[in-house]
Amino acid sequence: MPREIPAPRRLTLWLNGASIEVPEGTMASAAFLAAGVACRVSVTGEPRTALCGMGICFECRATVDGVPHRRTCQIPCRAGMRLETQP
Ligand code: FES
């Protein structure tokens, strides 16, 4: 008989001032993607988001808990964290 896998705990955090919920273990870049929100805006005004997902391309930079230029693909979500699109 197969064992049931427990559902992951849900975390509540802030994305551009709005409250969102994500499963525990979600990376911050995935929270942006799930919400349909860009991580940052390019110098030409285009929305940018995670590309490589492994810390190389820097496309996923955003402001995390007030600290700019954080690579969100390398940061797991925590309850209460503040994610902001980087202008
Ligand atoms: S997605 Fe490439 S560094 Fe984060």
Side-chain angles (χ1 to χ4, degrees):
M1 179 172 220
R3 286 179 42 191
E4 272 193 40
I5 299 172
R9 196 168 62 105
R10 307 283 295 176
L11 304 175
T12 302
L13 51 121
W14 299 94
L15 198 159
N16 289 345
S19 173
I20 64 166
E21 268 193 17
V22 297
E24 188 172 40
T26 299
M27 299 307 277
S29 58
F32 276 99
L33 286 169
V37 174
C39 292
R40 67 184 184 92
V41 178
S42 75
V43 292
T44 58
E46 296 177 16
R48 309 300 290 193
T49 192
L51 180 63
C52 73
M54 57 186 186
I56 296 173
C57 72
F58 286 68
E59 290 290 352
C60 64
R61 285 175 291 151
T63 301
V64 178
D65 291 331
V67 181
H69 302 291
R70 300 295 313 275
R71 287 175 291 168
T72 57
C73 71
Q74 302 298 299
I75 301 171
C77 290
R78 298 181 317 278
M81 86 189 308
R82 290 176 295 117
L83 302 173
E84 294 165 69
T85 298
Q86 190 162 297

